[in-house]
Amino acid sequence: MKKRKQKKDYSIFIHITFIIILLTIGVFIYIAGGKNDLETFKKQVEESSPKKIIANDINRTPKLNEKEKSQYKKYKYKYTYNIEIKGYVKRMEMEIPIPVNENEKQYLSNVKVSVKPSRLYSDGVNTIAQYIFQDIESQKMNIVFEGEANVRTYNIKTAKALNKNISPEKDLSRYLKPEILIESNDPYIMNIARRIKGDSQEEILQNIYEYIQDNMQYRIINNVSAKKALQQGYGKCSEYAAIMIALCRAKKIPARMLLGNIAREKFPQHNWVEVYYDKYGWVVYDPTVSPVNVKVYNNSGKITKVEKRYDTSPDLNYITAGRNKLSTYTTSYSVGDSQNGSVIVREDIKIERI
């Protein structure tokens, strides 16, 4: 009787082959897609002709009459974000607060962006251009925002001339609370606030302004808190602004941080302050700027008196990009392998009078 040949068991061989195929596919995906995804990346950062961008009525500048035109100054601005990615970065997110139209403050036109944002959204206060890049290695790119801005500074003088609340707020509670770098409930801050007096909100703000000018020296440093800056007696514009906001909140006056640019050629990046008046809405103060003497004229053109200005210099105009932030851009990313990838963002700003 012939013996039946036993069938060979190929199951182990099949499993091993299947695993090898899966590993090969995985390696291919990592190399082809994970490392660069060049085609997708190039499409996203390709700098072709700038694209128009419309959000919150950007590019819908109202026509200004002759009197209004005399109160506004027109500037051409160009913000370039130079991004350098070293090594391999699995994911990078970048959020840029961008200027938008603001009633009685600034009106934009011809706004363009070189790279379309992944998403354009509002956080309730700011309009944010969000960029998300994934699986990138050793790349350089530029993102350019440009446009024209008709601006005027809505300070207490402007507010009194209009004599109405142009930015009413229903809930001001968030602008009365302490937050990171603004320790308005700290005993040190509160003790200083108690010593600052005034018969009206405007007078209190003048005295806060004067206190900062008397007790701070301007110096470029890394960001520190309002308390730390006051204790050391020096800081830059973000520290000056944080101190004023902390003291205002300690006095139960709503205040918040502004960011953007002073309309000037050198050192335009800036942080300053908005303070809320029930009668006028949000009014601008810039505690970094020394008080200036301003001549007051009568109808005949004669000087009647000289007043000290405690809000902003009459020679400065501001292009506002965002609020409650300390810088004009924020970046975050995560590294997907062991190559220690990193991201560097440099901002180049050009503003010229038209």
Side-chain angles (χ1 to χ4, degrees):
M1 192 175 183
K2 292 183 178 180
K3 291 183 178 180
R4 294 177 68 182
K5 290 183 178 180
Q6 290 183 343
K7 288 184 179 181
K8 292 184 177 180
D9 188 355
Y10 293 100
S11 61
I12 296 175
F13 175 77
I14 292 170
H15 279 96
I16 292 172
T17 304
F18 183 68
I19 291 170
I20 291 171
I21 291 170
L22 285 177
L23 288 172
T24 303
I25 292 171
V27 170
F28 176 78
I29 290 172
Y30 174 78
I31 293 172
K35 259 193 167 181
N36 269 322
D37 194 16
L38 283 177
E39 290 307 311
T40 302
F41 186 71
K42 284 179 179 178
K43 283 180 182 178
Q44 191 166 6
V45 302
E46 180 185 11
E47 290 188 30
S48 56
S49 59
K51 305 154 187 74
K52 284 190 176 180
I53 182 171
I54 299 177
N56 289 10
D57 293 330
I58 293 178
N59 284 316
R60 298 181 185 176
T61 301
K63 289 185 178 180
L64 303 175
N65 60 40
E66 291 304 314
K67 183 179 179 181
E68 289 172 328
K69 283 181 181 178
S70 67
Q71 296 172 359
Y72 287 79
K73 292 181 181 177
K74 193 171 185 178
Y75 298 89
K76 186 176 182 179
Y77 66 88
K78 185 176 182 180
Y79 304 155
T80 303
Y81 299 88
N82 302 294
I83 304 168
E84 183 178 2
I85 293 142
K86 295 183 177 180
Y88 170 63
V89 172
K90 182 68 177 173
R91 178 183 174 91
M92 172 194 168
E93 294 184 18
M94 179 170 168
E95 295 194 336
I96 306 173
I98 60 174
V100 295
N101 280 353
E102 296 186 17
N103 184 36
E104 302 286 359
K105 297 178 181 180
Q106 67 182 26
Y107 298 110
L108 310 183
S109 58
N110 299 320
V111 178
K112 299 175 183 177
V113 60
S114 63
V115 181
K116 185 179 178 181
S118 307
R119 181 166 76 113
L120 197 66
Y121 72 96
S122 172
D123 64 3
V125 181
N126 307 299
T127 296
I128 307 291
Q130 183 186 58
Y131 290 88
I132 300 175
F133 302 112
Q134 300 188 68
D135 299 315
I136 48 181
E137 182 177 34
S138 302
Q139 298 289 335
K140 291 182 180 180
M141 58 181 162
N142 293 331
I143 298 175
V144 181
F145 285 85
E146 57 186 316
E148 297 172 359
N150 276 295
V151 298
R152 70 171 172 180
T153 301
Y154 191 77
N155 50 36
I156 191 64
K157 182 180 178 182
T158 315
K160 286 181 176 180
L162 286 173
N163 197 30
K164 61 181 180 179
N165 189 334
I166 66 167
S167 48
E169 292 267 359
K170 291 182 179 179
D171 184 7
L172 293 161
S173 59
R174 66 179 295 189
Y175 304 115
L176 293 167
K177 296 176 182 177
E179 57 183 275
I180 295 173
L181 302 183
I182 301 173
E183 317 97 321
S184 54
N185 64 344
D186 186 273
Y188 180 83
I189 297 288
M190 294 183 72
N191 184 49
I192 294 172
R194 276 193 291 269
R195 301 202 307 265
I196 297 173
K197 308 292 184 179
D199 294 330
S200 65
Q201 179 173 323
E202 185 178 350
E203 188 176 336
I204 292 170
L205 290 168
Q206 289 178 0
N207 292 333
I208 289 174
Y209 195 113
E210 282 278 21
Y211 181 88
I212 295 169
Q213 288 290 318
D214 291 343
N215 290 276
M216 290 290 293
Q217 292 184 341
Y218 188 87
R219 190 183 300 180
I220 300 294
I221 60 171
N222 292 328
N223 288 341
V224 299
S225 72
K227 178 181 177 180
K228 176 69 174 177
L230 274 171
Q231 288 175 331
Q232 65 190 19
Y234 57 83
K236 59 186 183 309
C237 60
S238 56
E239 281 73 41
Y240 278 68
I243 291 168
M244 185 166 190
I245 294 166
L247 291 173
C248 283
R249 292 182 182 181
K251 301 289 287 183
K252 306 301 180 186
I253 299 172
R256 63 188 182 187
M257 182 82 68
L258 267 68
L259 67 95
N261 299 285
I262 297 178
R264 60 187 179 190
E265 292 182 6
K266 294 183 178 180
F267 312 113
Q269 284 179 299
H270 199 49
N271 285 113
W272 64 104
V273 177
E274 271 185 332
V275 176
Y276 192 81
Y277 283 81
D278 290 335
K279 189 174 181 179
Y280 307 122
W282 290 104
V283 174
V284 167
Y285 283 81
D286 189 351
T288 310
V289 178
S290 299
V292 293
N293 292 321
V294 179
K295 296 175 183 177
V296 179
Y297 299 85
N298 61 19
N299 294 332
S300 303
K302 292 184 178 180
I303 298 173
T304 57
K305 60 180 176 178
V306 176
E307 290 182 344
K308 186 173 274 192
R309 286 283 295 277
Y310 292 92
D311 45 21
T312 62
S313 168
D315 300 323
L316 296 180
N317 284 277
Y318 305 79
I319 301 175
T320 305
R323 290 166 170 81
N324 299 336
K325 294 178 182 291
L326 285 172
S327 61
T328 49
Y329 61 80
T330 59
T331 60
S332 61
Y333 61 91
S334 58
V335 178
D337 68 1
S338 60
Q339 294 185 36
N340 295 321
S342 62
V343 177
I344 299 172
V345 179
R346 297 182 181 90
E347 187 178 19
D348 179 49
I349 302 167
K350 293 182 179 178
I351 299 175
E352 59 183 76
R353 180 81 182 272
I354 299 177

Coordinates of all heavy atoms in Angstrom, one line a residue, residues 154-169 172 200-202 205 253-254 275-283:
Y154 N -7.6 105.8 18.1 CA -8.8 106.1 18.9 C -8.4 106.2 20.4 O -8.6 105.4 21.2 CB -9.8 104.9 18.7 CG -11.2 105.3 19.3 CD1 -12.1 106.1 18.6 CD2 -11.6 104.8 20.5 CE1 -13.3 106.4 19.1 CE2 -12.9 105.1 21.0 CZ -13.7 105.9 20.3 OH -14.9 106.2 20.8
N155 N -7.8 107.4 20.6 CA -7.5 107.7 22.0 C -8.6 108.5 22.7 O -9.7 108.7 22.1 CB -6.1 108.5 22.1 CG -6.1 109.7 21.1 OD1 -7.1 110.3 20.9 ND2 -5.0 109.9 20.5
I156 N -8.3 109.0 23.9 CA -9.4 109.7 24.6 C -9.8 111.0 23.9 O -11.0 111.4 23.9 CB -8.9 110.0 26.1 CG1 -10.1 110.5 26.9 CG2 -7.8 111.0 26.1 CD1 -11.2 109.5 27.1
K157 N -8.9 111.7 23.2 CA -9.3 112.9 22.4 C -10.2 112.5 21.3 O -11.2 113.2 21.1 CB -8.0 113.5 21.8 CG -8.3 114.8 21.1 CD -7.0 115.4 20.5 CE -7.4 116.7 19.7 NZ -6.1 117.3 19.1
T158 N -9.9 111.4 20.6 CA -10.8 111.0 19.5 C -12.2 110.6 20.1 O -13.2 110.9 19.5 CB -10.2 109.8 18.8 OG1 -8.8 110.0 18.5 CG2 -10.9 109.5 17.5
A159 N -12.1 109.8 21.2 CA -13.4 109.4 21.8 C -14.3 110.5 22.2 O -15.5 110.5 22.0 CB -13.0 108.5 23.0
K160 N -13.7 111.5 22.8 CA -14.5 112.7 23.3 C -15.1 113.4 22.1 O -16.2 113.9 22.2 CB -13.6 113.6 24.1 CG -13.3 113.1 25.5 CD -12.5 114.1 26.3 CE -12.2 113.7 27.7 NZ -11.4 114.6 28.5
A161 N -14.4 113.5 21.0 CA -14.9 114.2 19.8 C -16.1 113.5 19.2 O -17.1 114.1 18.8 CB -13.8 114.3 18.7
L162 N -16.0 112.1 19.2 CA -17.2 111.3 18.7 C -18.3 111.3 19.7 O -19.5 111.2 19.3 CB -16.7 109.9 18.3 CG -15.9 109.8 17.1 CD1 -15.3 108.4 16.9 CD2 -16.7 110.2 15.8
N163 N -17.9 111.2 21.0 CA -18.9 111.3 22.1 C -19.9 110.2 22.0 O -21.1 110.4 22.1 CB -19.5 112.6 22.2 CG -20.2 112.9 23.5 OD1 -19.8 112.3 24.5 ND2 -21.3 113.6 23.5
K164 N -19.5 108.9 21.7 CA -20.4 107.8 21.7 C -19.6 106.5 21.9 O -18.4 106.5 21.7 CB -21.2 107.7 20.4 CG -20.3 107.5 19.1 CD -21.2 107.5 17.9 CE -20.3 107.3 16.6 NZ -21.1 107.2 15.4
N165 N -20.3 105.5 22.3 CA -19.6 104.2 22.5 C -19.7 103.4 21.2 O -20.7 102.9 20.8 CB -20.4 103.4 23.6 CG -19.6 102.1 24.0 OD1 -18.8 101.6 23.2 ND2 -19.8 101.7 25.2
I166 N -18.5 103.3 20.6 CA -18.4 102.7 19.2 C -18.1 101.2 19.4 O -18.2 100.5 18.4 CB -17.4 103.3 18.3 CG1 -16.0 103.1 18.9 CG2 -17.6 104.8 18.1 CD1 -14.8 103.4 17.9
S167 N -17.8 100.7 20.6 CA -17.5 99.3 20.7 C -18.1 98.8 22.1 O -17.4 98.4 23.0 CB -16.0 99.1 20.7 OG -15.4 100.0 21.6
P168 N -19.4 98.8 22.2 CA -20.1 98.3 23.4 C -19.8 96.9 23.7 O -19.8 96.0 22.8 CB -21.6 98.6 23.2 CG -21.7 98.6 21.7 CD -20.4 99.1 21.2
E169 N -19.6 96.5 25.0 CA -19.3 95.2 25.4 C -20.3 94.8 26.5 O -20.6 95.6 27.4 CB -17.9 95.0 26.0 CG -16.8 95.2 25.0 CD -16.3 93.9 24.5 OE1 -16.9 92.8 24.9 OE2 -15.4 93.9 23.6
L172 N -17.6 92.2 30.4 CA -16.2 92.7 30.6 C -15.4 91.9 31.6 O -14.3 92.3 31.9 CB -16.2 94.2 30.9 CG -16.8 95.1 29.8 CD1 -17.2 96.5 30.4 CD2 -15.7 95.3 28.8
S200 N -11.8 110.8 38.7 CA -12.6 110.2 37.6 C -11.7 109.1 37.0 O -10.5 108.9 37.3 CB -12.8 111.2 36.5 OG -11.6 111.7 35.9
Q201 N -12.3 108.3 36.1 CA -11.6 107.2 35.4 C -10.4 107.8 34.6 O -9.3 107.3 34.7 CB -12.5 106.4 34.5 CG -11.7 105.2 33.8 CD -12.6 104.3 33.0 OE1 -13.7 104.0 33.5 NE2 -12.2 103.9 31.9
E202 N -10.7 108.9 33.9 CA -9.6 109.5 33.1 C -8.5 109.9 34.0 O -7.3 109.7 33.6 CB -10.2 110.6 32.3 CG -9.2 111.2 31.3 CD -9.8 112.4 30.5 OE1 -11.0 112.6 30.5 OE2 -9.0 113.1 29.9
L205 N -6.4 107.0 35.2 CA -5.6 106.5 34.1 C -4.4 107.3 33.8 O -3.3 106.9 33.6 CB -6.4 106.3 32.8 CG -7.5 105.2 32.9 CD1 -8.4 105.3 31.7 CD2 -6.8 103.8 32.9
I253 N -10.9 98.6 36.5 CA -11.1 99.2 35.2 C -10.7 98.2 34.1 O -9.6 97.7 34.1 CB -10.2 100.4 35.0 CG1 -10.5 101.5 36.1 CG2 -10.3 101.0 33.6 CD1 -9.5 102.7 36.1
P254 N -11.7 97.8 33.2 CA -11.4 96.8 32.2 C -10.2 97.3 31.3 O -10.3 98.4 30.8 CB -12.7 96.7 31.4 CG -13.7 97.2 32.4 CD -13.1 98.3 33.2
V275 N -8.3 100.5 27.1 CA -9.0 100.6 28.3 C -10.5 100.9 28.0 O -10.8 101.7 27.1 CB -8.4 101.7 29.2 CG1 -9.3 101.9 30.5 CG2 -7.0 101.4 29.5
Y276 N -11.4 100.3 28.8 CA -12.8 100.4 28.4 C -13.5 101.6 29.2 O -13.4 101.6 30.5 CB -13.6 99.2 28.7 CG -15.0 99.1 28.1 CD1 -15.2 98.8 26.8 CD2 -16.1 99.4 28.9 CE1 -16.5 98.8 26.2 CE2 -17.4 99.4 28.4 CZ -17.5 99.1 27.0 OH -18.8 99.1 26.5
Y277 N -14.1 102.5 28.5 CA -15.0 103.5 29.1 C -16.4 103.2 28.8 O -16.8 102.9 27.6 CB -14.7 104.9 28.5 CG -13.4 105.6 29.0 CD1 -12.2 105.2 28.5 CD2 -13.5 106.6 29.9 CE1 -11.0 105.9 28.9 CE2 -12.3 107.3 30.4 CZ -11.1 106.9 29.8 OH -10.0 107.6 30.2
D278 N -17.3 103.3 29.7 CA -18.7 103.0 29.4 C -19.3 104.0 28.4 O -20.1 103.6 27.5 CB -19.6 103.2 30.7 CG -19.3 102.0 31.7 OD1 -18.9 100.9 31.3 OD2 -19.5 102.2 32.9
K279 N -18.7 105.2 28.4 CA -19.2 106.2 27.5 C -18.7 106.1 26.1 O -19.3 106.5 25.1 CB -18.9 107.6 28.1 CG -19.6 108.8 27.3 CD -19.3 110.1 28.1 CE -20.0 111.2 27.3 NZ -19.8 112.5 28.1
Y280 N -17.4 105.6 26.0 CA -16.7 105.7 24.7 C -16.4 104.3 24.1 O -16.0 104.2 23.0 CB -15.4 106.5 24.8 CG -15.6 107.9 25.4 CD1 -14.9 108.2 26.6 CD2 -16.5 108.8 24.8 CE1 -15.1 109.5 27.1 CE2 -16.6 110.1 25.4 CZ -15.9 110.4 26.5 OH -16.1 111.7 27.0
G281 N -16.4 103.3 24.9 CA -16.0 101.9 24.5 C -14.5 101.8 24.7 O -13.9 102.4 25.6
W282 N -13.8 101.0 23.8 CA -12.4 100.8 24.0 C -11.5 101.9 23.5 O -11.6 102.3 22.3 CB -12.0 99.5 23.3 CG -12.5 98.2 23.9 CD1 -13.5 97.5 23.5 CD2 -12.0 97.6 25.1 NE1 -13.8 96.4 24.3 CE2 -12.9 96.5 25.4 CE3 -11.0 97.9 26.0 CZ2 -12.7 95.7 26.5 CZ3 -10.9 97.1 27.1 CH2 -11.7 96.0 27.3
V283 N -10.7 102.5 24.4 CA -9.9 103.6 24.1 C -8.4 103.3 24.2 O -8.0 102.6 25.2 CB -10.2 104.8 25.0 CG1 -9.3 106.0 24.8 CG2 -11.7 105.2 24.8

